[in-house]
Amino acid sequence: MAEGENEVRWDGLCSRDSTTRETALENIRQTILRKSECLRSVKETPHHPSDGLSNTESSDGLNKLLAHLLMLSKRCPFKDVREKSEFILKSIQELGIRIPRPLGQGPSRFIPEKEILQVGSEDAQMHALFADSFAALGRLDNITLVMVFHPQYLESFLKTQHYLLQMDGPLPLHYRHYIGIMAAARHQCSYLVNLHVNDFLHVGGDPKWLNGLENAPQKLQNLGELNKVLAHRPWLITKEHIEGLLKAEEHSWSLAELVHAVVLLTHYHSLASFTFGCGISPEIHCDGGHTFRPPSVSNYCICDITNGNHSVDEMPVNSAENVSVSDSFFEVEALMEKMRQLQECRDEEEASQEEMASRFEIEKRESMFVFSSDDDEVTPARDVSRHFEDTSYGYKDFSRHGMHVPTFRVQDYCWEDHGYSLVNRLYPDVGQLIDEKFHIAYNLTYNTMAMHKDVDTSMLRRAIWNYIHCMFGIRYDDYDYGEINQLLDRSFKVYIKTVVCTPEKVTKRMYESFWRQFKHSEKVHVNLLLIEARMQAELLYALRAITRYMT
Amino acid sequence: MEKMSRVTTALGGSVLTGRTMHCHLDAPANAISVCRDAAQVVVAGRSIFKIYAIEEEQFVEKLNLRVGRKPSLNLSCADVVWHQMDENLLATAATNGVVVTWNLGRPARNKQDQLFTEHKRTVNKVCFHPTEAHVLLSGSQDGFMKCFDLRRKDSVSTFSGQSESVRDVQFSIRDYFTFASTFENGNVQLWDIRRPDRCERMFTAHNGPVFCCDWHPEDRGWLATGGRDKMVKVWDMTTHRAKEMHCVQTIASVARVKWRPECRHHLATCSMMVDHNIYVWDVRRPFVPAAMFEEHRDVTTGIAWRHPHDPSFLLSGSKDSSLCQHLFRDASQPVERANPEGLCYGLFGDLAFAAKESLVAAESGRKPYTGDRRHPIFFKRKLDPAEPFAGLASSALSVFETEPGGGGMRWFVDTAERYALAGRPLAELCDHNAKVARELGRNQVAQTWTMLRIIYCSPGLVPTANLNHSVGKGGSCGLPLMNSFNLKDMAPGLGSETRLDRSKGDARSDTVLLDSSATLITNEDNEETEGSDVPADYLLGDVEGEEDELYLLDPEHAHPEEPECVLPQEAFPLRHEIVDTPPGPEHLQDKADSPHVSGSEADVASLAPVDSSFSLLSVSHALYDSRLPPDFFSVLVRDMLHFYAEQGDVQMAVSVLIILGERVRKDIDEQTQEHWYTSYIDLLQRFRLWNVSNEVVKLSTSRAVSCLNQASTTLHVNCSHCKRPMSSRGWVCDRWGSGVGRWGRGLQAAQEPLLRRPPSCPPPGATAAPACVPSATTWSRVCSCGARAAATAATCSTS
């Protein structure tokens, strides 16, 4: 059969013009009908030996289409497309062909589906965001659906991501997705790897590269080292790393390319943190997101399972309900009380300079030992690990060996003054976009804490932000690190530490055991702070190395 | 010296002397400040806090204020300021948010005086009142400004900016109660020290943080601000609304700005990142710095004029751990290095160039262009004698025009549009292009394509055994043969192509002289090149012996009589031209009625009889039959490409380069290739052949060229109904809602010229969009005469 005519074009659906969408859908419908007719006729005449192979092939192809349709019927921001897709699925079912069902409970495994905004019930602003996202990517991914708790941030996030992946930049499109895959694979984030494998192929990437980094061009292989160090121990980046990349004969990177790559790497490292931190489920149309066959374990999903993240059959009992309400209520109250105290007592109790310095060191050192008790070695799934080398290299290595993290002074090199200028110089407009994103993430507040209103949360947010930077050895001269100890309790620290440093180990239990009385949207808010602080920390180290190289 | 005498009077007798010098500090400096006696400077940084005496020949360390065993964060200075009334009083801003004052009059080793720990975040700036002895102002990251009276333990008043972090605070020099503060969100506020409740005035000065500001020492109400957006702006605050008077665009974010004493329009700036130099700008000439100091190896963090009435001494501290004194007379002046010359082609072949007036005047017969009725837009700029570099950088503009209606570059456009450069086998491409060239009457080019096809599309490879033999045999003859062939055939082809130039020159000779140094090629030039480059007789004679044998080897020679050959590699059309002398001159005469061309025709005639039975092409044809490797010809092809490029037909050079790809690339050095590519792309873009130029960019293998494609071209779309920009990614107006089709009729597409790009960036190239404006320079041209002008001009000015 002619593949060309059966090729389905989804891009028409991204149009904002409803007639264009309708025509596109109609085409899809016809193609699918044709395929299924074809399949059926083959089935009805089983004695057709030569067709055995193409039969499974074509049914695979059809299944893919159906899965995509299923995704559209659930996740397309346009109502007409959702309805029509569902209709098509139904009519296919009537032909006696198995259609897929979505698997799992919504976009996040940690957050009950009913808490998350349903597509179709969004307000105008969110709809515009959804439509933008859909127009750019041809899908509405789960990350978007979870982030939409904070539409202001989401807008900036999508704009940045769109610019990084699809707009002008020194790197070719398939490189960008491949770098995204490399970065996500560092944290064994099958979700992101899956998404970008699709995108990578869609923009014409060579499927061979997906077999492992050693099949990619030398230039990308060279980036592997930076990826590794950046993901786990960014403080070790030196100008020699940069020099090695920039001066590698014909495989060398240009400065602009390197900055683009660094921004992509940091973006995807932190996005991997978000994915695990919020327990993002596989996309409906990707493997593991839907089922007409038994749930696939083969393709990129193994690490989820080994993590205990794959909680398809999780009991619906929210563990928060197990804890006595008064207990967790007390938690919030205590936190607020501490904040009040700190606010008032600040001037009275004057810590000495040495005291301040040692508080930072203590916090930094302690942060290394904050880890969940189940520190089992998780061997990454083969399929993901093939995108990077040296799987044993991780953040925890250094904590075990008690390596010294040198202190990085923000007052000497900060994002606002230095990092921004460098990025904007080498990769115009991106500095601006990232700067906005940092700002929104850092300043985002609804002045609420759990059930309390009109709370100034700036102190808490600053403590979280600075705690993350502290873990990376970044010190603010004007911050009293004693505050962190007061405001962040152990289970919260464990969660932060795990999300930022070893996101693949985040479990639902961790997510539930911190801030039990807080809303899910607030926990997502925390995650936004975590990923942006992490991204900034990595960027600062990488950019400082580039600056040092340049001077 | 006039300058010196002024200094003397200003200083009341004591003359400042010194030289450009620097000294090494132990640690990077964050800020410096000068004592009012102009003989001492204080340097502060994270781990340095010292006072140096400025002596005639060197800096001498005078005092280390960083005492005590344990390094305290209170000593980690973000800023330092020396009181301008009291020689003993200093203040520092610490990174941990403490404001410290220092009294040098204290007898103890530790000169620390007071400690104010009221700010919650890093203090970015401290500032003493210019006339009041005890008033100190601080601005902090926490968004507050505090005013301290040094006689009291706490702050007198707190000012809340209600916006983000304070980056700079400066007391007005003229207005006793006024101070200005700048903020991280781009705002500038004006405060009255007596009214902490609200600011007097607030306006947004920059996009992004405003790192610094400085009041003009003489002009009341002039405030200079510098920001991360790489701009220095001068504001007039005396008017009702702050008015932007001047704007200087630098190449990196501006960290410090300081007015130069005694020079009303001068200010010094240094940058926060990347750029290590200190610039002194004349704000009326915002494009070229008046002076530049290049001593530092890392970013300059603090600058200060040594004396408030001496414009010639500048002190600076840097992250490279050095302290410098710069003398203005030792500064490098970029204007001296600047080329006040510019050359530009108009879309229709007009050529305008500006050159130093002296240069132009010196040459006899050339008058500076003074504008004419056809181009009323050109005027000679009226010179303001008060302005700087008046003598240095004034230039005269000359314009050469083509004869109206000449329409001369049609062939170029046609060729560019019709050539096929990729996607088919080499042989087909060559045939196609040969056909195109022939149809456009460019026979010589057509022949070249045919030759290329013959050379590179030979069937099979050469057996190695054969290789040496044929090389040895053909080495001496094949190469020069081709050479001579090419050059000979050039005459008719060039005749048609250069005719225009000649007529251009002739037409304009009454008003402007066109001399041969201009890029336009005249026939005389061609003549010369040919004459000198072609020792044709000699070369031809050389091959004679082998000719017959080779001729016989030619298998396709069986059909010599076909007049219009289907296969273009057949040699005969060409042979006719050369062997039969009569058609040649006629042909030429048709195309160019110039006596000089007939000179070249005579050449042809004289060459022809050398051997009447001899066919140049059949020789090369035969060479191919003897299975020479295509490599063998690469030298030849290279020379051919160079020849075309030299002749100004860079189109041919690039097209061949692209089509032959690896076959010849290695023989031509990268730089030349890049040069050809960029020239051709530039030409294409001038003719607005965006698609072709994009294709060429895409096909090019030169890195520098292919990255043109990756630079930004921003496209702005406005709604046709409400004229509002369509900000969202789709083609839908927020207000009108209705979807408009892609590139719909109602859309006014406008391109931003990307003028905000720093000069160091590569020029933005065309991307894949159907219509792209390639570069800022071309833009103005497209803008002024293009179809989209009306819609775009508005967007241009606003964006």
Side-chain angles (χ1 to χ4, degrees):
Chain A
M1 67 178 87
E3 246 336 291
E5 112 191 27
N6 283 326
E7 206 54 59
V8 176
R9 301 188 55 83
W10 301 101
D11 38 2
L13 294 176
C14 304
S15 163
R16 281 155 208 269
D17 178 31
S18 62
T19 43
T20 318
R21 292 199 298 262
E22 203 174 322
T23 351
L25 260 184
E26 184 55 32
N27 282 338
I28 291 166
R29 191 180 74 91
Q30 278 168 9
T31 317
I32 290 184
L33 278 182
R34 204 161 48 237
K35 278 204 172 187
S36 40
E37 286 297 340
C38 184
L39 204 65
R40 227 158 47 129
S41 64
V42 172
K43 259 186 203 155
E44 276 161 13
T45 52
H47 305 293
H48 214 289
S50 67
D51 246 14
L53 192 73
S54 79
N55 185 14
T56 50
E57 249 176 36
S58 67
S59 92
D60 255 8
L62 180 64
N63 284 349
K64 270 209 181 100
L65 293 184
L66 293 179
H68 202 119
L69 262 187
L70 176 70
M71 183 274 284
L72 287 176
S73 73
K74 299 283 176 200
R75 294 286 159 80
C76 182
F78 304 114
K79 190 159 174 248
D80 52 334
V81 176
R82 287 199 301 270
E83 283 167 355
K84 187 84 188 269
S85 316
E86 202 164 338
F87 171 75
I88 297 175
L89 280 174
K90 282 232 175 71
S91 59
I92 296 289
Q93 193 172 27
E94 278 156 20
L95 287 175
I97 288 186
R98 271 200 304 184
I99 61 161
R101 283 171 292 112
L103 194 66
Q105 339 88 320
S108 162
R109 290 184 298 268
F110 296 170
I111 308 167
E113 196 170 4
K114 60 179 189 304
E115 298 266 341
I116 291 176
L117 184 81
Q118 295 296 304
V119 180
S121 58
E122 69 270 10
D123 64 21
Q125 186 201 0
M126 292 176 183
H127 181 78
L129 278 177
F130 282 173
D132 278 353
S133 170
F134 192 80
L137 296 166
R139 60 169 186 258
L140 202 57
D141 51 27
N142 289 336
I143 290 182
T144 309
L145 285 171
V146 173
M147 273 189 191
V148 85
F149 274 123
H150 307 283
Q152 194 197 358
Y153 173 84
L154 177 64
E155 185 178 6
S156 166
F157 172 85
L158 288 176
K159 212 159 83 185
T160 311
Q161 183 166 272
H162 176 74
Y163 198 96
L164 287 179
L165 290 177
Q166 278 149 312
M167 304 292 277
D168 316 308
L171 289 173
L173 291 179
H174 61 288
Y175 266 54
R176 304 181 193 189
H177 289 291
Y178 196 79
I179 291 172
I181 295 171
M182 283 169 69
R186 242 355 291 176
H187 287 305
Q188 301 143 45
C189 180
S190 58
Y191 171 82
L192 289 174
V193 170
N194 257 330
L195 274 186
H196 285 280
V197 163
N198 287 345
D199 290 345
F200 172 75
L201 296 174
H202 185 73
V203 296
D206 182 351
K208 271 199 231 103
W209 297 8
L210 295 174
N211 293 332
L213 194 54
E214 65 276 5
N215 297 309
Q218 184 62 38
K219 190 169 162 175
L220 282 169
Q221 291 184 35
N222 292 348
L223 195 65
E225 175 72 13
L226 184 69
N227 179 24
K228 185 175 80 177
V229 182
L230 203 53
H232 304 296
R233 302 176 205 169
W235 54 90
L236 293 182
I237 293 176
T238 59
K239 72 175 187 190
E240 282 71 31
H241 284 112
I242 306 299
E243 195 165 356
L245 288 168
L246 295 177
K247 292 186 178 157
E249 305 290 306
E250 74 266 41
H251 305 300
S252 55
W253 292 74
S254 74
L255 264 176
E257 286 173 331
L258 184 65
V259 167
H260 192 172
V262 162
V263 173
L264 279 171
L265 286 175
T266 54
H267 178 82
Y268 280 100
H269 289 152
S270 42
L271 200 54
S273 284
F274 184 84
T275 308
F276 287 113
C278 293
I280 301 294
S281 323
E283 290 296 327
I284 291 183
H285 65 285
C286 289
D287 293 319
H290 58 89
T291 167
F292 15 33
R293 28 191 173 173
S296 155
V297 242
S298 65
N299 224 347
Y300 303 118
C301 293
I302 291 171
C303 57
D304 285 348
I305 295 164
T306 52
N307 282 346
N309 275 352
H310 205 83
S311 47
V312 184
D313 305 316
E314 192 91 31
M315 285 171 295
V317 191
N318 191 335
S319 67
E321 289 161 32
N322 296 341
V323 187
S324 68
V325 176
S326 62
D327 213 23
S328 53
F329 181 75
F330 180 68
E331 207 177 72
V332 182
E333 291 295 290
L335 182 58
M336 288 190 58
E337 184 53 38
K338 271 182 194 154
M339 283 169 65
R340 211 169 297 134
Q341 273 173 13
L342 280 172
Q343 199 90 51
E344 285 159 6
C345 308
R346 172 125 56 179
D347 309 292
E348 290 159 32
E349 163 259 330
E350 188 54 50
S352 72
Q353 290 305 311
E354 306 89 79
E355 174 65 17
M356 296 290 259
S358 67
R359 276 181 194 171
F360 173 77
E361 290 303 326
I362 289 168
E363 206 55 53
K364 194 166 83 180
R365 204 163 43 245
E366 270 185 0
S367 76
M368 299 168 189
F369 298 105
V370 170
F371 255 118
S372 56
S373 44
D374 52 332
D375 204 2
D376 299 329
E377 200 71 43
V378 180
T379 30
R382 170 75 196 125
D383 276 329
V384 181
S385 67
R386 70 186 175 198
H387 293 298
F388 61 95
E389 310 149 311
D390 196 2
T391 51
S392 62
Y393 193 95
Y395 184 87
K396 64 174 181 290
D397 276 4
F398 102 84
S399 67
R400 278 193 185 145
H401 304 145
M403 234 150 72
H404 180 65
V405 183
T407 302
F408 181 114
R409 308 267 186 170
V410 163
Q411 269 75 10
D412 292 345
Y413 197 101
C414 65
W415 165 257
E416 285 79 13
D417 295 2
H418 306 95
Y420 169 90
S421 300
L422 185 63
V423 171
N424 234 23
R425 183 186 182 91
L426 294 169
Y427 187 11
D429 297 342
V430 165
Q432 190 66 42
L433 289 170
I434 302 177
D435 192 45
E436 268 171 39
K437 191 156 67 89
F438 285 150
H439 255 260
I440 291 173
Y442 191 85
N443 294 324
L444 188 70
T445 182
Y446 307 95
N447 294 316
T448 57
M449 267 178 78
M451 54 298 242
H452 299 278
K453 289 207 171 71
D454 297 324
V455 191
D456 178 10
T457 57
S458 58
M459 182 181 280
L460 190 57
R461 283 180 284 126
R462 192 166 167 221
I464 297 171
W465 186 278
N466 287 359
Y467 179 61
I468 295 154
H469 278 189
C470 174
M471 289 190 297
F472 286 102
I474 299 175
R475 178 173 177 190
Y476 291 79
D477 281 347
D478 53 358
Y479 188 67
D480 175 8
Y481 285 84
E483 280 184 28
I484 289 177
N485 251 349
Q486 309 259 331
L487 296 176
L488 314 183
D489 60 22
R490 191 179 155 77
S491 59
F492 190 27
K493 276 186 180 171
V494 168
Y495 179 75
I496 293 179
K497 171 84 175 175
T498 319
V499 169
V500 171
C501 299
T502 48
E504 59 276 12
K505 291 184 184 159
V506 176
T507 60
K508 191 170 184 183
R509 205 178 60 219
M510 281 185 206
Y511 176 84
E512 278 160 359
S513 62
F514 84 95
W515 279 14
R516 275 165 296 192
Q517 209 53 36
F518 283 70
K519 298 189 203 84
H520 285 292
S521 74
E522 286 169 319
K523 292 194 173 187
V524 173
H525 185 173
V526 166
N527 268 286
L528 298 183
L529 272 176
L530 301 189
I531 65 171
E532 291 304 329
R534 175 180 186 190
M535 181 169 176
Q536 194 178 83
E538 287 186 15
L539 268 181
L540 280 177
Y541 277 110
L543 294 175
R544 187 179 66 165
I546 293 176
T547 308
R548 284 184 175 166
Y549 168 80
M550 288 167 72
T551 50
Chain B
M1 281 170 85
E2 188 210 5
K3 203 183 273 173
M4 276 306 178
S5 63
R6 211 166 62 211
V7 167
T8 317
T9 50
L11 301 184
S14 70
V15 181
L16 276 188
T17 50
R19 60 181 187 96
T20 296
M21 57 188 182
H22 75 275
C23 86
H24 184 77
L25 310 171
D26 310 322
N30 276 347
I32 62 169
S33 185
V34 194
C35 179
R36 71 164 179 168
D37 66 4
Q40 298 173 82
V41 59
V42 58
V43 184
R46 173 169 290 285
S47 48
I48 182 171
F49 189 24
K50 283 180 182 173
I51 290 176
Y52 285 86
I54 311 164
E55 298 191 347
E56 189 98 351
E57 293 292 314
Q58 61 190 346
F59 291 103
V60 175
E61 184 179 328
K62 218 180 143 202
L63 187 61
N64 188 357
L65 289 159
R66 209 179 150 78
V67 289
R69 261 166 295 123
K70 288 182 217 88
S72 158
L73 270 187
N74 291 346
L75 289 171
S76 159
C77 305
D79 192 32
V80 63
V81 63
W82 206 319
H83 204 299
Q84 288 309 300
M85 303 294 292
D86 184 348
E87 285 176 19
N88 281 330
L89 196 52
L90 287 160
T92 56
T95 50
N96 63 352
V98 180
V99 175
V100 193
T101 60
W102 306 80
N103 184 356
L104 300 181
R106 273 168 70 119
R109 209 161 73 86
N110 190 349
K111 311 285 186 193
Q112 185 170 321
D113 195 18
Q114 289 206 65
L115 221 60
F116 300 101
T117 53
E118 292 183 34
H119 283 294
K120 294 194 186 83
R121 304 282 307 269
T122 299
V123 176
N124 286 319
K125 204 79 185 181
V126 281
C127 175
F128 279 115
H129 194 280
T131 51
E132 204 53 52
H134 301 286
V135 179
L136 175 68
L137 190 66
S138 66
S140 157
Q141 198 75 13
D142 60 15
F144 293 102
M145 295 143 276
K146 284 176 189 286
C147 182
F148 303 97
D149 185 325
L150 301 186
R151 291 161 295 194
R152 292 165 62 170
K153 271 188 144 12
D154 300 317
S155 62
V156 184
S157 43
T158 301
F159 309 84
S160 167
Q162 303 288 352
S163 35
E164 284 175 65
S165 315
V166 186
R167 296 309 298 246
D168 200 354
V169 282
Q170 292 291 339
F171 274 112
S172 164
I173 295 165
R174 295 279 156 156
D175 297 307
Y176 187 86
F177 294 111
T178 309
F179 72 88
S181 55
T182 70
F183 291 85
E184 200 145 293
N185 59 3
N187 286 345
V188 170
Q189 293 180 352
L190 228 55
W191 291 83
D192 186 316
I193 197 88
R194 295 161 297 184
R195 294 197 52 187
D197 52 328
R198 55 184 294 271
C199 65
E200 301 280 289
R201 183 187 283 182
M202 179 167 94
F203 61 96
T204 302
H206 290 265
N207 181 15
V210 191
F211 288 138
C212 53
C213 66
D214 196 34
W215 290 96
H216 197 282
E218 282 144 38
D219 278 297
R220 169 174 301 203
W222 275 29
L223 182 73
T225 58
R228 193 172 70 180
D229 59 1
K230 306 178 192 168
M231 308 238 230
V232 178
K233 291 181 179 175
V234 179
W235 305 86
D236 184 358
M237 311 289 258
T238 52
T239 47
H240 177 59
R241 285 187 60 192
K243 198 174 104 201
E244 186 184 323
M245 312 267 292
H246 300 284
C247 179
V248 176
Q249 176 92 47
T250 68
I251 58 166
S253 55
V254 183
R256 311 267 175 189
V257 57
K258 285 273 182 273
W259 287 101
R260 186 173 171 209
E262 309 283 299
C263 293
R264 190 157 178 259
H265 290 104
H266 282 203
L267 48 78
T269 66
C270 65
S271 139
M272 186 80 89
M273 271 295 280
V274 192
D275 187 10
H276 310 157
N277 300 338
I278 303 165
Y279 301 99
V280 178
W281 301 86
D282 184 299
V283 290
R284 294 162 302 174
R285 285 290 187 132
F287 302 110
V288 184
M292 187 160 94
F293 300 103
E294 300 166 298
E295 277 83 1
H296 288 298
R297 300 273 72 88
D298 202 339
V299 285
T300 310
T301 46
I303 49 176
W305 294 96
R306 188 167 154 193
H307 190 275
H309 293 290
D310 187 326
S312 46
F313 292 90
L314 179 70
L315 298 164
S316 69
S318 159
K319 276 253 161 83
D320 67 2
S321 307
S322 74
L323 174 68
C324 268
Q325 171 170 276
H326 312 274
L327 246 63
F328 207 74
R329 63 161 189 268
D330 293 339
S332 67
Q333 300 200 354
V335 89
E336 281 173 352
R337 276 180 271 160
N339 266 335
E341 278 102 34
L343 176 95
C344 191
Y345 269 112
L347 193 61
F348 301 105
D350 297 354
L351 172 73
F353 78 88
K356 270 193 184 171
E357 243 169 332
S358 53
L359 214 75
V360 179
E363 274 179 55
S364 56
R366 183 178 293 162
K367 310 179 286 279
Y369 185 77
T370 45
D372 78 353
R373 60 216 168 276
R374 281 185 50 216
H375 289 279
I377 42 167
F378 293 120
F379 289 109
K380 200 175 157 194
R381 212 168 151 251
K382 226 174 109 187
L383 282 175
D384 175 2
E387 267 188 50
F389 352 123
L392 277 168
S394 75
S395 45
L397 177 71
S398 316
V399 177
F400 302 94
E401 289 162 351
T402 49
E403 192 181 7
M409 292 294 273
R410 193 64 224 164
W411 61 271
F412 177 86
V413 178
D414 281 342
T415 316
E417 278 171 347
R418 291 168 59 188
Y419 266 1
L421 297 178
R424 280 189 266 171
L426 178 64
E428 273 181 47
L429 289 174
C430 288
D431 285 350
H432 175 89
N433 293 345
K435 195 165 145 258
V436 169
R438 201 175 307 113
E439 281 170 15
L440 291 168
R442 306 175 68 212
N443 284 326
Q444 185 226 343
V445 173
Q447 296 300 350
T448 310
W449 282 114
T450 310
M451 295 291 296
L452 287 172
R453 188 211 147 115
I454 295 168
I455 293 172
Y456 287 101
C457 303
S458 63
L461 282 167
V462 190
T464 33
N466 217 4
L467 193 74
N468 284 340
H469 168 68
S470 39
V471 169
K473 213 165 85 178
S476 59
C477 64
L479 184 142
L481 240 188
M482 281 299 281
N483 235 340
S484 69
F485 159 70
N486 272 332
L487 292 165
K488 280 198 57 55
D489 190 48
M490 190 60 66
L494 269 174
S496 68
E497 283 163 31
T498 47
R499 184 171 54 130
L500 207 166
D501 301 329
R502 277 197 57 72
S503 54
K504 211 183 294 176
D506 291 343
R508 295 289 304 168
S509 56
D510 52 339
T511 49
V512 188
L513 264 175
L514 180 76
D515 68 352
S516 56
S517 69
T519 343
L520 297 178
I521 301 154
T522 60
N523 271 341
E524 291 92 315
D525 290 340
N526 298 341
E527 213 56 33
E528 269 169 32
T529 343
E530 275 182 50
S532 56
D533 275 8
V534 191
D537 299 75
Y538 157 72
L539 293 170
L540 285 173
D542 219 19
V543 227
E544 226 172 331
E546 285 172 354
E547 187 267 317
D548 267 27
E549 182 186 309
L550 293 168
Y551 190 88
L552 287 173
L553 280 171
D554 183 2
E556 286 172 20
H557 193 58
H559 321 281
E561 309 312 332
E562 279 182 35
E564 283 295 310
C565 263
V566 190
L567 290 171
Q569 69 264 47
E570 287 282 351
F572 298 97
L574 184 65
R575 189 167 67 143
H576 271 285
E577 243 176 50
I578 292 173
V579 174
D580 304 335
T581 20
E586 267 172 30
H587 186 59
L588 285 168
Q589 217 67 46
D590 284 348
K591 293 203 164 181
D593 44 357
S594 145
H596 297 284
V597 178
S598 43
S600 84
E601 155 219 327
D603 265 357
V604 179
S606 70
L607 280 173
V610 167
D611 185 354
S612 55
S613 68
F614 172 66
S615 156
L616 289 169
L617 249 202
S618 61
V619 170
S620 67
H621 211 156
L623 283 173
Y624 126 64
D625 271 323
S626 69
R627 310 251 152 161
L628 278 175
D631 268 1
F632 175 75
F633 292 102
S634 55
V635 183
L636 214 55
V637 174
R638 186 194 66 200
D639 290 347
M640 184 270 285
L641 291 183
H642 278 290
F643 174 78
Y644 274 110
E646 289 295 309
Q647 293 295 326
D649 188 1
V650 76
Q651 178 178 52
M652 184 66 186
V654 171
S655 304
V656 171
L657 199 57
I658 289 176
I659 288 184
L660 294 183
E662 288 303 334
R663 297 177 187 88
V664 287
R665 197 177 301 134
K666 56 183 183 303
D667 295 317
I668 301 165
D669 73 287
E670 281 280 322
Q671 225 175 343
T672 315
Q673 289 189 35
E674 196 184 313
H675 182 65
W676 290 351
Y677 273 119
T678 46
S679 312
Y680 186 39
I681 289 165
D682 186 48
L683 269 174
L684 288 171
Q685 293 180 343
R686 276 163 198 278
F687 284 95
R688 300 205 242 167
L689 297 163
W690 314 120
N691 289 339
V692 183
S693 88
N694 192 46
E695 193 190 357
V696 171
V697 171
K698 221 167 96 189
L699 292 170
S700 82
T701 45
S702 161
R703 266 180 77 88
V705 175
S706 50
C707 73
L708 286 181
N709 235 358
Q710 294 156 8
S712 298
T713 300
T714 313
L715 186 72
H716 290 289
V717 183
N718 292 350
C719 173
S720 60
H721 291 290
C722 57
K723 306 281 188 276
R724 292 203 308 172
M726 295 165 145
S727 49
S728 49
R729 284 191 287 280
W731 298 78
V732 182
C733 177
D734 294 336
R735 191 189 294 174
W736 295 83
S738 67
V740 191
R742 243 165 187 267
W743 301 104
R745 281 154 297 152
L747 291 180
Q748 299 166 340
Q751 286 100 352
E752 188 186 357
L754 297 146
L755 285 169
R756 60 200 146 81
R757 234 159 236 290
S760 57
C761 278
T767 57
C772 299
V773 170
S775 73
T777 45
T778 331
W779 171 249
S780 53
R781 232 162 286 122
V782 176
C783 216
S784 58
C785 62
R788 268 176 257 108
T792 51
T795 322
C796 268
S797 54
T798 52
S799 59

